[in-house]
Amino acid sequence: MRTRLFNNFLLKILSVIAAVVLWLIVVNIDDAVGSRPLRNIKVDMVNMEAITSQGQMCRIEEGTNVVDLTVYARRSVLNNLKASDFVVTADIQKDLQYGSMVKIEVKYIGDATIERVEQNRENVLVSIEESVTEQFKVAVRTQGEPEKGLVAGSAIPEQTLVEVTGPVSVVERIKRVEVEVSIAGITGTVVRSGKLRLLDGDGAEIKGSSLEYYGKDTDFNVTITTLNKKEVGISFDISQAAPEGYGLSAISYTPETVTIAGTNAQIRNIYNLNIPPEALNPNGETGRVERAVDISQYLDEGIVIPDEDEREIVVIMEITQHVTQTYVFSGEQVQYLNMPEGLELDLSETGPLEVIVSGLESDLSGLTIEGITVSADLSECRRPGSYMVPVTVSVPEALRAPEGLEIAVTLVRGAEGQ
């Protein structure tokens, strides 16, 4: 009887042990240890002030301040695991190595049990450099077109200059700062916003992660004004187109008209753009002269030429040397002005006067002596006698008359004064 009871008790103990083992087997099968990846976790850089307080900046090599974790734990733990359960830091004051690497530390802050954590990167790569601050002018680049019949006028950014602070190797690469805004369909004056972009000499964008500047993380506003358009002609003052001794025999230019833009009040009474004389031939060239003239610089303030291709016109001139023609005037052919009272001319004492007229051959070919006026001013002659008096020669506008001519005249008392 005792043997039977003992045998039953032993069997019960063996059954309990078997049940526990079976339970452990089932638990380990259903909730086995596995792994779960957590990707692109940002590394928090700490104690950066240890660098900045010395007038330096820490530039983080792109892509090295993120880490991938592989967490090993039971499946029940892994299912509830989040990236926020881990604190990933790199202490630049404590863990800077070789001046270019900062050790990454990973800490689990959850309340579950994990086996271990593996990370794909051990260090953040950094470059510690002198910190500099530079100012850059903000350029505005527009996209799209305003309402039909209008053009974009002024584009004024909310700040014309921005200060950029960062590592010297990054700041010195910046060649242009611009903001791009859309002006599609606008009328009047509107405010549009865009993002500031820092560009290098090749026009590639410089990422600003290591830089500090106004507008880095916010929209940058630009005030855009639209203008009305008008097509006008072009007129030149050719008075200085040819040097001394030469004349302008022909001139042509392309385009012959240009579209300007401004407010209605500004452009209403403009029909021609007047180009000053010094614009045509400032170097005094002769022969066939071809010159590109930037006419936009001669516009009144607030008026623009919206089409860049029309801001320069090509002027072609033929500048030819003058020829001369001599005309001889007798005393009787001269007009005498301001004759003194009581005196008269003794023309027998007045010899011929040579007048040399210069100009282009085409203009001189049709000139006769009748087209020339020669006058002598007698206002300084008060008494009878012989005088050398100044002569004024008038010729058609395209020709050049001689200057400084004088004529010998003799004045005698008139019959009434004898």
Side-chain angles (χ1 to χ4, degrees):
M1 184 68 179
R2 287 181 180 177
T3 301
R4 184 181 298 174
L5 289 173
F6 179 78
N7 288 338
N8 288 338
F9 182 73
L10 182 60
L11 288 173
K12 290 178 180 179
I13 291 174
L14 290 174
S15 297
V16 171
I17 292 172
V20 170
V21 171
L22 183 61
W23 178 81
L24 289 173
I25 292 172
V26 171
V27 166
N28 278 279
I29 291 174
D30 287 346
D31 196 15
V33 173
S35 65
R36 178 183 174 185
L38 297 174
R39 307 292 188 192
N40 297 322
I41 298 179
K42 184 73 176 293
V43 179
D44 184 19
M45 302 296 296
V46 297
N47 289 323
M48 294 290 281
E49 63 274 9
I51 300 298
T52 57
S53 64
Q54 301 176 28
Q56 296 179 312
M57 291 196 74
C58 176
R59 179 166 61 88
I60 300 170
E61 296 296 329
E62 187 175 353
T64 69
N65 63 336
V66 292
V67 65
D68 294 340
L69 303 180
T70 302
V71 183
Y72 292 87
R74 292 192 179 279
R75 186 173 295 122
S76 60
V77 174
L78 294 177
N79 289 339
N80 297 315
L81 208 59
K82 306 182 294 297
S84 59
D85 292 329
F86 295 86
V87 175
V88 184
T89 60
D91 191 329
I92 198 167
Q93 185 176 28
K94 179 170 69 73
D95 294 324
L96 177 64
Q97 306 171 57
Y98 311 113
S100 61
M101 297 188 299
V102 185
K103 184 180 177 181
I104 298 173
E105 289 190 357
V106 179
K107 291 183 180 180
Y108 173 62
I109 59 174
D111 55 6
T113 300
I114 61 174
E115 298 290 325
R116 69 183 188 277
V117 179
E118 294 178 355
Q119 58 196 71
N120 72 325
R121 182 183 302 282
E122 296 296 327
N123 297 286
V124 176
L125 302 182
V126 299
S127 176
I128 298 174
E129 303 177 46
E130 177 188 357
S131 174
V132 296
T133 299
E134 295 286 347
Q135 283 190 333
F136 297 90
K137 184 178 180 180
V138 178
V140 178
R141 188 156 65 94
T142 59
Q143 281 190 334
E145 297 294 334
E147 192 70 21
K148 186 177 180 180
L150 300 175
V151 296
S154 61
I156 304 174
E158 61 177 283
Q159 283 190 192
T160 56
L161 293 173
V162 294
E163 283 190 345
V164 181
T165 300
V168 62
S169 65
V170 180
V171 174
E172 67 183 6
R173 289 175 53 211
I174 302 172
K175 303 303 178 187
R176 178 179 171 87
V177 175
E178 71 172 25
V179 56
E180 183 178 285
V181 294
S182 172
I183 60 171
I186 68 173
T187 61
T189 299
V190 298
V191 176
R192 291 287 170 92
S193 61
K195 292 292 185 182
L196 276 183
R197 300 173 69 229
L198 313 181
L199 307 177
D200 63 15
D202 296 325
E205 186 170 1
I206 299 171
K207 299 301 181 183
S209 58
S210 61
L211 302 173
E212 295 298 329
Y213 54 92
Y214 176 80
K216 175 180 177 179
D217 301 315
T218 60
D219 286 339
F220 197 87
N221 292 329
V222 180
T223 302
I224 308 292
T225 302
T226 56
L227 302 174
N228 298 90
K229 297 189 295 186
K230 182 179 182 179
E231 186 175 15
V232 298
I234 303 169
S235 61
F236 292 94
D237 183 340
I238 62 172
S239 61
Q240 298 177 23
E244 187 70 26
Y246 288 80
L248 179 65
S249 59
I251 182 172
S252 62
Y253 49 92
T254 305
E256 295 183 349
T257 62
V258 64
T259 299
I260 62 174
T263 65
N264 279 328
Q266 289 174 319
I267 66 176
R268 183 183 300 115
N269 297 321
I270 298 178
Y271 302 97
N272 284 286
L273 295 186
N274 299 313
I275 311 304
E278 63 271 14
L280 283 180
N281 191 11
N283 299 322
E285 299 175 65
T286 61
R288 178 183 170 87
V289 178
E290 185 172 324
R291 176 170 170 76
V293 179
D294 180 5
I295 60 176
S296 64
Q297 62 184 306
Y298 304 115
L299 298 172
D300 292 337
E301 185 176 358
I303 300 176
V304 298
I305 298 175
D307 188 344
E308 290 187 6
D309 293 336
E310 292 186 350
R311 294 174 189 175
E312 271 195 353
I313 63 172
V314 177
V315 183
I316 299 176
M317 297 171 284
E318 293 291 342
I319 298 178
T320 309
Q321 189 170 14
H322 281 167
V323 297
T324 61
Q325 178 69 45
T326 301
Y327 299 86
V328 179
F329 286 78
S330 64
E332 287 83 359
Q333 292 175 299
V334 176
Q335 296 180 8
Y336 298 96
L337 308 176
N338 301 312
M339 178 70 70
E341 187 176 351
L343 300 178
E344 61 184 31
L345 285 165
D346 182 0
L347 293 179
S348 63
E349 300 293 328
T350 302
L353 177 69
E354 286 190 354
V355 174
I356 301 174
V357 180
S358 63
L360 297 176
E361 186 174 3
S362 58
D363 295 324
L364 270 176
S365 60
L367 181 65
T368 63
I369 196 169
E370 287 76 17
I372 304 172
T373 301
V374 178
S375 58
D377 186 3
L378 304 178
S379 59
E380 298 298 322
C381 305
R382 303 300 183 188
R383 297 185 297 274
S386 297
Y387 299 91
M388 294 295 295
V389 296
V391 172
T392 300
V393 180
S394 298
V395 295
E397 185 177 359
L399 301 173
R400 293 194 177 184
E403 297 179 357
L405 291 182
E406 293 183 326
I407 189 172
V409 297
T410 300
L411 293 177
V412 298
R413 296 190 183 277
E416 295 180 357
Q418 294 181 353

